[in-house]
Amino acid sequence: MSKDAHKDELKKAWKAQERQKLIDSIPMSHQDLRDLFDYLDRPNPPPCDHTFRETLEFIKKRGLDAERIIPWLREYGGYCDCEVIFNVDDKFGEIVGR
């Protein structure tokens, strides 16, 4: 195996490992996360008031664990409802099938 092929293989393995870490970090089902993104990104939502008002409403309706989910959203750049869509969905949307 050439040096470049070995390097490419290592890089591919590392990317797969990093993707798996992201998948394993999600503190809810993929369906719930996809539904949260869809809920926040629905047509004509209320303007973002730069809180988690809509996110918390969704979490409460689903009976999910806000104490685990909100810090996780923040870890990936979601500091309010609109940032969940702009940042977290950008990173995890494909993983959960959006």
Side-chain angles (χ1 to χ4, degrees):
M1 178 183 295
S2 74
K3 186 176 179 180
D4 286 341
H6 181 66
K7 184 178 176 181
D8 289 344
E9 229 175 83
L10 288 174
K11 187 176 181 180
K12 186 177 178 180
W14 178 82
K15 282 184 178 184
Q17 186 178 28
E18 291 301 304
R19 180 177 169 86
Q20 190 60 49
K21 283 181 189 177
L22 288 176
I23 291 167
D24 293 343
S25 78
I26 300 172
M28 64 183 95
S29 74
H30 288 195
Q31 182 66 51
D32 282 332
L33 184 55
R34 183 173 48 246
D35 290 349
L36 172 61
F37 294 151
D38 289 344
Y39 176 73
L40 295 174
D41 199 26
R42 68 193 183 275
N44 303 312
C48 184
D49 62 3
H50 305 293
T51 69
F52 285 111
R53 183 174 48 87
E54 294 284 310
T55 299
L56 288 169
E57 180 180 302
F58 177 90
I59 289 170
K60 184 177 178 182
K61 284 181 182 177
R62 292 282 174 108
L64 302 172
D65 186 355
E67 289 183 23
R68 285 184 59 224
I69 295 169
I70 297 300
W72 179 83
L73 292 171
R74 286 184 176 130
E75 181 179 346
Y76 291 100
Y79 294 96
C80 66
D81 294 327
C82 69
E83 288 181 341
V84 169
I85 293 301
F86 293 129
N87 299 326
V88 185
D89 185 16
D90 189 46
K91 189 158 199 91
F92 289 91
E94 183 182 323
I95 289 172
V96 298
R98 254 178 67 93

